[in-house]
Amino acid sequence: MDASVEGLFLNLARAEDSVSRLDARAQTCGFAEGWATRVDFMEANAWGWLSGEIVDMEDLILHDAEMDARLPDQALRATYGLVRARRRARGLGPELLTAQGAAWLSGHRGEAPALPPSPLAAAAGPDGSAAGHRDLIAELVHQVRTLSRGETADALEAVDEWIQWTRRLPERAPALLRAALALEGWRLVNPLPRQNYVGGVMVAHALRASGRTRSCLLGLEAPRRTKLQPPRGFIAATTVARLAYWLNVIAVGAEMGLGEIKRLELARQVVLRRVGDRRADDRSADLVDLLLARPLVSAPMAAKHLGVAGHTARRLLANLGASVMEVSGRSRYRAWRL
């Protein structure tokens, strides 16, 4: 078997394992909603970094809480769009996978119409022989070459063409391999350059809607920040190398999500053990829930969440111990994280 094809299927095996472990762990996670919210903010922050829209995590979180420290600028609004898109995606099923759904994710008004099951639905794996692998990859490469690129001026028509193209992908290919191909196709078409995160959200949503992932919406932007694109290889790199790259992104994203769950679980146990013997009306446990749901928490956010005064919120934060760290280094507008 060709070395590049063998490497592609090794990346596929790693992605399958990582995604399955993350999904299984998320199903039993006691703070799955809080973890998903954290991933939304981390994804938005990473997408902004990749797109040249550098936005502080604290500004994103304060904007979400409607407690902006300053007037939101265009970069903040654009980056926050990914947080909104991921939240919208978690609330809908396969009906989101339309051109109208993509417009809705990108911030336009309107509702997504009904749609048949996802084109990225789980399917049986390919023939396990080397010849079967080569035939499958040759078919996928051919599908990429048939993709229309930049031939439609209307963005929603281009999105619809991409969706129709994903439905023609061979069903015998594993779901994650088709997801990688769909991500590469979205990159080539680039129908929404100002909201290019929409393609990743739609692919992650399709995997969840089809049942490949049941308890999580995969993050694809944060791993791209640590696993950058192949060197100037958009044209030079082969389609096989591009697919291997996207599978690597999926695997790294799942591993990052699993690592974050494990870290938060350990920190949660340490903090709850510290506050476990306090009186029944103590609000520390509720504060821990907020810390699990947000990468950063300010005193006004904690006060609003708990319904207490600002100085009480600061005292509760200070009493949670070393697992809760102050990260702002300021005397005013202080922020903490778990």
Side-chain angles (χ1 to χ4, degrees):
M1 187 189 305
D2 184 82
S4 61
V5 174
E6 183 178 3
L8 173 65
F9 279 93
L10 287 174
N11 280 4
L12 174 61
R14 177 190 174 191
E16 294 279 5
D17 177 67
S18 300
V19 170
S20 296
R21 288 191 295 115
L22 172 63
D23 196 43
R25 185 65 185 86
Q27 290 184 46
T28 61
C29 180
F31 49 89
E33 288 298 323
W35 168 77
T37 300
R38 293 175 68 95
V39 173
D40 293 345
F41 286 110
M42 293 175 182
E43 283 285 285
N45 182 257
W47 177 82
W49 187 89
L50 290 166
S51 304
E53 304 283 3
I54 308 301
V55 177
D56 288 339
M57 181 75 75
E58 186 175 354
D59 290 338
L60 273 173
I61 295 170
L62 290 175
H63 181 69
D64 180 66
E66 298 181 350
M67 303 173 66
D68 297 88
R70 60 185 66 86
L71 187 67
D73 58 12
Q74 183 177 353
L76 176 59
R77 289 192 294 268
T79 306
Y80 183 72
L82 179 49
V83 176
R84 182 181 58 242
R86 287 179 60 87
R87 287 177 178 171
R88 288 179 169 182
R90 280 200 297 272
L92 288 179
E95 67 271 15
L96 185 65
L97 302 172
T98 64
Q100 291 76 16
W104 191 54
L105 287 178
S106 63
H108 294 82
R109 296 182 179 180
E111 297 182 358
L115 184 77
S118 164
L120 300 175
D127 178 4
S129 66
H133 287 161
R134 284 195 297 268
D135 291 343
L136 175 61
I137 297 305
E139 187 175 355
L140 295 179
V141 171
H142 174 72
Q143 288 288 343
V144 172
R145 291 173 179 170
T146 65
L147 181 64
S148 299
R149 308 175 195 182
E151 298 178 4
T152 304
D154 183 82
L156 296 187
E157 288 185 13
V159 172
D160 189 62
E161 289 182 3
W162 173 78
I163 292 172
Q164 298 302 323
W165 174 78
T166 62
R167 295 179 187 171
R168 295 192 298 270
L169 298 180
E171 294 185 359
R172 64 193 181 101
L176 292 184
L177 185 54
R178 277 180 287 154
L181 199 69
L183 290 168
E184 177 63 7
W186 182 273
R187 184 191 69 84
L188 292 171
V189 176
N190 195 24
L192 298 170
R194 294 186 178 180
Q195 296 94 17
N196 56 17
Y197 54 77
V198 170
V201 174
M202 293 185 74
V203 170
H205 175 76
L207 289 171
R208 197 187 67 156
S210 71
R212 179 58 186 86
T213 58
R214 299 179 182 275
S215 305
C216 63
L217 191 68
L218 292 178
L220 301 171
E221 302 297 336
R224 290 179 60 212
R225 183 172 179 175
T226 59
K227 199 72 178 178
L228 295 178
Q229 300 277 4
R232 284 299 166 185
F234 282 7
I235 297 176
T238 65
T239 300
V240 173
R242 296 293 312 174
L243 293 180
Y245 163 76
W246 285 116
L247 288 170
N248 204 7
V249 165
I250 293 172
V252 171
E255 291 164 2
M256 291 173 64
L258 185 61
E260 182 70 1
I261 289 178
K262 292 179 178 178
R263 186 189 72 80
L264 291 174
E265 180 61 39
L266 178 60
R268 176 174 176 267
Q269 292 176 5
V270 171
V271 174
L272 289 182
R273 188 178 296 117
R274 179 183 177 91
V275 304
D277 297 331
R278 298 183 182 180
R279 60 181 185 271
D281 61 345
D282 187 80
R283 306 299 304 280
S284 297
D286 295 331
L287 182 56
V288 173
D289 291 338
L290 178 62
L291 286 163
L292 288 169
R294 296 289 190 276
L296 295 174
V297 171
S298 67
M301 285 177 58
K304 182 179 179 180
H305 178 76
L306 301 175
V308 299
H311 64 86
T312 303
R314 287 189 291 271
R315 177 178 57 80
L316 289 172
L317 285 163
N319 290 338
L320 290 181
S323 293
V324 178
M325 298 187 297
E326 184 179 351
V327 295
S328 56
R330 300 188 297 254
S331 59
R332 300 180 62 188
Y333 306 112
R334 299 158 68 189
W336 291 260
R337 71 171 177 86
L338 190 63

